[in-house]
Amino acid sequence: MEDRNNNWQNSIQFLQGDVSVLEQLAEQRPYIPFSEETINFLDALYQALRKENQSVQAADLAAFSFWCRKGNLSHIREQYVCQWKGKNVLGRGVAFHIVPSNIPVLFAFSMVASLLAGDPVVLRLPQNETMQEQMILSALRHVMEVQPEWKKRIVILRYGHRKEVTDALSRLCQVRVIWGGDHSIQEIQKSALEPGKTELAFADRRSAAVLRADAILEKEDLTDIVCGFYNDTYLNDQNACSSPSLLYWLGSPEQAALAHEKFWNAAASYIQSHYELGAHLAVQKWEQAMYIAATKENVKIRKFGNEVVLVKLPELSESIWELTVPGGFFLECSGETLEGLYPALTRKCQTLTCVKEVECAELAEKLICAGVSGVDRIVQIGHALDFSLIWDGIDLIVQMSREITCG
């Protein structure tokens, strides 16, 4: 790598690898996607991280490590093998990842996606260190001592807002992956990629839940729904793009009112016994609720302690997503059909969650018929944060690999 801006390398804190490994990263040959070497490496990471997590028992670490186990990756590989039958596919080359701080394990999922695509990785971590980061790095180092060849394929580093460093790393890579808010992405994109290189930018998005009143009312025990809803929202302070911030109650006015009361009486009790709310989030939620009430007509506000603030709107519009704040703040609306939800399903809306798994296909069919511009995922409540190699409608493996055609 050519040093175009003096000592830019001195601005980097290396957490895995060093300058020498970084400079030679582009010389590492790409692998075929889901190579046996990669799956074995990630399965070893699963084993190591499971031991690391025994004392802490962090849910997000457990989910990441479980996703990396050989059985799961082999199953996913079979799906791509069928898709690529008779085709020749290879990784594109070095993938440069930039991740935000709102989801502590996102960096690990992003890294693993590149490894599965066959690409060596250079990954920039956020400035603030987390417990999840420490444990994943510790597990990685442990596995690399047994499989040292991976030390040449993975560089993990940290640096501040230094454009010259981003410029240099962007020259090194063949693929650049950016996760973050719109402003952050625009700042990073000031470091131009050379023509022919691939960029995946996952911008700021929001999500909603469709709560069928009859599905809520027919269940005697809502524990599984409430627990899943809590995991989707409160585990990360509602900061994930896939965490619902809009709830749409589907049913007659009478059914919706009864289901609303039943659900929130159960959910509020569970949330208040599990969630620790910071004072700044409590104030932010109330300020936002008062602002909406002052600027819109026929708004109803309800709270369950400081942990849950509900703002019911008479109708939805495409600007609804500008009103969201984190930490247990939910905009609500209801209707007898899905049509009342459609105005909110713009490109800003990423995920819909629903009560029953069987509803997913039904919802997808209706959204396709309606021709909505948003929604890339429909999942059952409790699975909003599940990682998938298809994200925001983009197949990460396909985009980070290349097909070699013959004839």
Side-chain angles (χ1 to χ4, degrees):
M1 294 171 60
E2 181 184 352
D3 189 351
R4 301 184 184 182
N5 291 286
N6 298 322
N7 296 321
W8 60 266
Q9 295 171 344
N10 295 333
S11 304
I12 296 175
Q13 175 191 2
F14 285 94
L15 303 170
Q16 174 58 47
D18 53 28
V19 171
S20 176
V21 176
L22 180 64
E23 290 179 334
Q24 297 176 48
L25 201 59
E27 299 174 12
Q28 297 299 309
R29 67 179 181 87
Y31 289 168
I32 62 170
F34 296 94
S35 69
E36 204 63 36
E37 301 100 311
T38 305
I39 289 181
N40 288 337
F41 172 71
L42 294 177
D43 188 65
L45 178 60
Y46 153 64
Q47 301 288 350
L49 192 52
R50 187 174 61 169
K51 293 178 182 178
E52 290 274 346
N53 194 31
Q54 281 179 348
S55 60
V56 179
Q57 296 186 344
D60 51 0
L61 281 172
F64 168 68
S65 64
F66 195 65
W67 195 89
C68 290
R69 73 195 190 283
K70 189 170 187 175
N72 180 56
L73 299 181
S74 297
H75 174 70
I76 297 173
R77 176 173 60 184
E78 288 305 311
Q79 297 173 343
Y80 280 94
V81 167
C82 292
Q83 179 181 336
W84 286 334
K85 190 173 183 179
K87 296 180 179 180
N88 302 300
V89 186
L90 196 64
R92 286 187 179 274
V94 176
F96 172 33
H97 297 248
I98 302 172
V99 296
S101 58
N102 61 328
I103 306 297
V105 299
L106 177 58
F107 82 92
F109 278 117
S110 194
M111 173 189 70
V112 165
S114 274
L115 296 178
L116 289 171
D119 299 331
V121 173
V122 55
L123 190 147
R124 177 199 177 189
L125 288 178
Q127 286 298 100
N128 295 326
E129 187 178 51
T130 65
M131 173 270 294
Q132 291 90 335
E133 171 193 308
Q134 293 175 346
M135 296 183 71
I136 291 170
L137 288 176
S138 174
L140 268 175
R141 292 171 187 138
H142 175 79
V143 175
M144 286 178 177
E145 290 305 313
V146 181
Q147 302 183 41
E149 65 274 16
W150 288 94
K151 292 182 180 180
K152 300 178 181 179
R153 298 185 67 84
I154 301 173
V155 174
I156 300 176
L157 44 77
R158 183 179 279 122
Y159 64 90
H161 299 291
R162 299 292 297 269
K163 183 176 180 296
E164 66 271 23
V165 183
T166 304
D167 288 344
L169 297 177
S170 297
R171 290 193 296 270
L172 168 70
C173 74
Q174 291 300 316
V175 181
R176 185 167 68 184
V177 184
I178 312 172
W179 304 80
D182 297 351
H183 176 72
S184 297
I185 290 174
Q186 290 168 354
E187 287 298 308
I188 292 165
Q189 288 177 334
K190 290 178 181 178
S191 296
L193 282 180
E194 296 165 2
K197 294 185 175 182
T198 299
E199 180 169 82
L200 307 178
F202 298 97
D204 190 20
R205 301 185 73 185
R206 297 289 182 267
S207 295
V210 175
L211 299 171
R212 275 182 44 189
D214 58 352
I216 298 291
L217 293 173
E218 70 183 21
K219 285 185 68 69
E220 291 186 14
D221 185 357
L222 296 183
T223 301
D224 56 342
I225 295 176
V226 166
C227 183
F229 179 80
Y230 178 87
N231 292 341
D232 287 346
T233 51
Y234 284 85
L235 282 184
N236 52 45
D237 286 329
Q238 226 176 349
N239 279 315
C241 58
S242 55
S243 292
S245 51
L246 168 63
L247 308 182
Y248 188 79
W249 293 89
L250 183 61
S252 69
E254 296 79 12
Q255 278 188 319
L258 289 172
H260 184 275
E261 196 70 15
K262 180 178 180 180
F263 173 81
W264 278 116
N265 283 337
S269 176
Y270 184 90
I271 291 165
Q272 289 169 342
S273 65
H274 287 78
Y275 183 59
E276 293 185 13
L277 177 68
H280 67 291
L281 283 179
V283 172
Q284 184 183 20
K285 289 192 295 184
W286 273 111
E287 286 181 342
Q288 186 68 356
M290 294 301 104
Y291 168 77
I292 294 173
T295 55
K296 295 186 178 295
E297 296 181 354
N298 300 319
V299 170
K300 296 180 180 179
I301 298 173
R302 185 175 180 183
K303 76 182 185 78
F304 293 86
N306 285 326
E307 290 80 9
V308 180
V309 175
L310 310 176
V311 178
K312 185 168 185 181
L313 303 169
E315 60 183 12
L316 301 176
S317 68
E318 62 181 21
S319 62
I320 189 73
W321 305 112
E322 299 172 9
L323 303 176
T324 62
V325 295
F329 182 87
F330 300 96
L331 302 169
E332 295 190 304
C333 193
S334 62
E336 296 192 45
T337 69
L338 283 175
E339 290 184 9
L341 177 62
Y342 293 159
L345 303 186
T346 65
R347 280 301 303 159
K348 197 72 174 176
C349 183
Q350 184 213 63
T351 298
L352 280 187
T353 55
C354 55
V355 176
K356 296 180 178 180
E357 186 176 2
V358 294
E359 294 178 45
C360 295
E362 297 173 8
L363 284 172
E365 184 178 351
K366 290 179 179 179
L367 299 189
I368 289 170
C369 290
V372 299
S373 60
V375 185
D376 296 312
R377 303 171 67 230
I378 304 175
V379 297
Q380 188 178 8
I381 286 175
H383 296 275
L385 301 185
D386 289 1
F387 182 74
S388 170
L389 291 171
I390 299 177
W391 200 260
D392 283 6
I394 297 171
D395 191 318
L396 299 178
I397 299 297
V398 170
Q399 293 298 316
M400 292 193 285
S401 60
R402 59 192 179 93
E403 182 182 342
I404 303 173
T405 59
C406 302

